[in-house]
Amino acid sequence: MGALGSRVLRRRGPVPRGEAAAGRAGRNGKRKRGGAAEGPGDSDSDGDTERDERLLHPRGRRKKLKSTSKYIYQTLFLNGENSDVKICALGEEWNLHKIYLCQSGYFSSMFSGSWKESSMNVIELEIPDQNIDVEALQVAFGSLYRDDVLINPSRVVALLAAACMLQLDGLIQQCGETMKETITSQTVCGYYNSAGTYGLDSVKKKCLEWLLNNLMTHQSIGLFKELSINLMKQLISSSNLFVLQVEMDVYTALKKWMFLQLVPSWNGSFKQVLTEADAWFAERRREWLSSVYKQQWFAMLRAEQDNDIGPQEINKEELEGNSMRCGRKLAKDGDYCWRWTGFNFGFDLLVTYTNRYIIFKRNTLNQPCSGSVSLQPRRSIAFRLRLASFDSSGKMVCSRTTGYQILTLEKDQEQIVMNLDSRLLTFPLYICCNFLYTTPEKRADGEALLENLEA
């Protein structure tokens, strides 16, 4: 067998001869010390001291266990001593032991049933999964002989594939935990796809959360090329996507992603992607956004001409499906003020962060043009405000949300929407808000208006 290796302790090896002899001497009431025999009454204080030392400092026992684990792994797995079955796969051979292999659901069924392999000494394994290689099998087999397995994140997908084939539930779980702890922009897509293939729903959910939180801030050529159409569609349609700065930035990110999907051979710097994408689409897709522009234009007309005072009740489905997303990054604690204009839906919003308060203000009377915003006495919006901070790898450190709310403001009225607990905040702080400016009924009216005009 090749000199490959891995780890898991299942039983202890034989007691060393010296210890057995010492035990027999103790039972006979005699013990050798300094070359002379001593009776049970000799050196009582020395015996007490030795017993106390063993009780207070049991390190010797732990070292023996560790040594036994190494012995089992080295002697039985690596050296293959007393092997009763040879496993062959991918051009490699392993001299193993059925009693250890039966920890695997795959081999347990094979050896306990009426399969022909139950009586065979040499078993050829077919490996249908291309993710599985010799190194992954080596670690998986070795895990049956030791308790601990050190998983390299760069090898976790291959090891997960091997563990799933061999039905090693403990190793599958450990692979999943490793994946959750090492999600980055380089690993997230591979982990997401592998989690779907091998049924790790919790890992798949964790990857999706990471992408929703970091897609707009961790953009790269590699990530955009790996994102599938279905996954990207799921991300951009989610109300939980952290958007920086406004909804238009989602469109810009989509344009970059589409360009890299359609021209996968392009290999410039990420700063050049948008310019290249604009030029590429200008030549080939002149009318691809015409319907979207038309729909948005009629929505703005509806807000101007109709007596639309905004949503009056929470409609979660409507908010999640149609709200606009705006975001902001606060690099450090301090005072901030910015505008979210709502794409001219008649609502110009000033957002202030000061003294750990977030304040919304309806910005109306100081507009240079009276028709640029709605002048209705009262106007409502449905919103959900979220705050979060992340570590350098994009893992969420803390978060907070207002939940879905309705806010009704008079002209230039302001309202505190969140009071932050300083103990929960870590900077940089990301703020993301979902806004819905028009009611579901008015949206239906607008669709009817659009159909009539087109007719």
Side-chain angles (χ1 to χ4, degrees), residues 5-21:
S6 199
R7 334 170 179 175
V8 170
L9 172 64
R10 295 298 176 194
R11 65 181 184 183
R12 297 181 183 176
V15 178
R17 182 177 300 176
E19 291 183 25

Side-chain angles (χ1 to χ4, degrees), residues 115-130:
W115 304 99
K116 64 178 182 179
E117 289 87 353
S118 61
S119 59
M120 295 173 59
N121 295 327
V122 178
I123 298 174
E124 291 278 351
L125 290 186
E126 292 186 7
I127 309 297
D129 191 337
Q130 294 182 351

Side-chain angles (χ1 to χ4, degrees), residues 392-406:
S392 58
S393 66
K395 183 178 180 180
M396 184 177 288
V397 177
C398 63
S399 64
R400 188 173 174 185
T401 179
T402 62
Y404 297 102
Q405 296 186 18
I406 295 287

Side-chain angles (χ1 to χ4, degrees), residues 15-33:
V15 178
R17 182 177 300 176
E19 291 183 25
R24 288 194 298 271
R27 287 193 295 272
N28 294 331
K30 294 183 179 180
R31 181 172 43 200
K32 287 190 175 183
R33 181 180 179 186

Side-chain angles (χ1 to χ4, degrees), residues 221-235:
I221 292 177
L223 176 60
F224 276 16
K225 285 185 176 181
E226 285 190 85
L227 283 170
S228 67
I229 294 175
N230 290 335
L231 181 53
M232 188 56 134
K233 181 179 179 180
Q234 188 176 359
L235 293 172

Side-chain angles (χ1 to χ4, degrees), residues 167-182:
Q167 301 173 34
L168 301 174
D169 293 340
L171 189 56
I172 292 172
Q173 182 179 359
Q174 190 172 348
C175 287
E177 294 302 317
T178 299
M179 293 166 77
K180 291 178 186 178
E181 294 170 0
T182 56

Side-chain angles (χ1 to χ4, degrees), residues 216 243 245-254 293 325 343:
M216 302 301 293
V243 173
Q245 301 278 331
V246 292
E247 191 77 26
M248 186 60 70
D249 292 290
V250 180
Y251 160 73
T252 302
L254 267 176
Y293 287 141
R325 298 157 292 191
F343 288 91

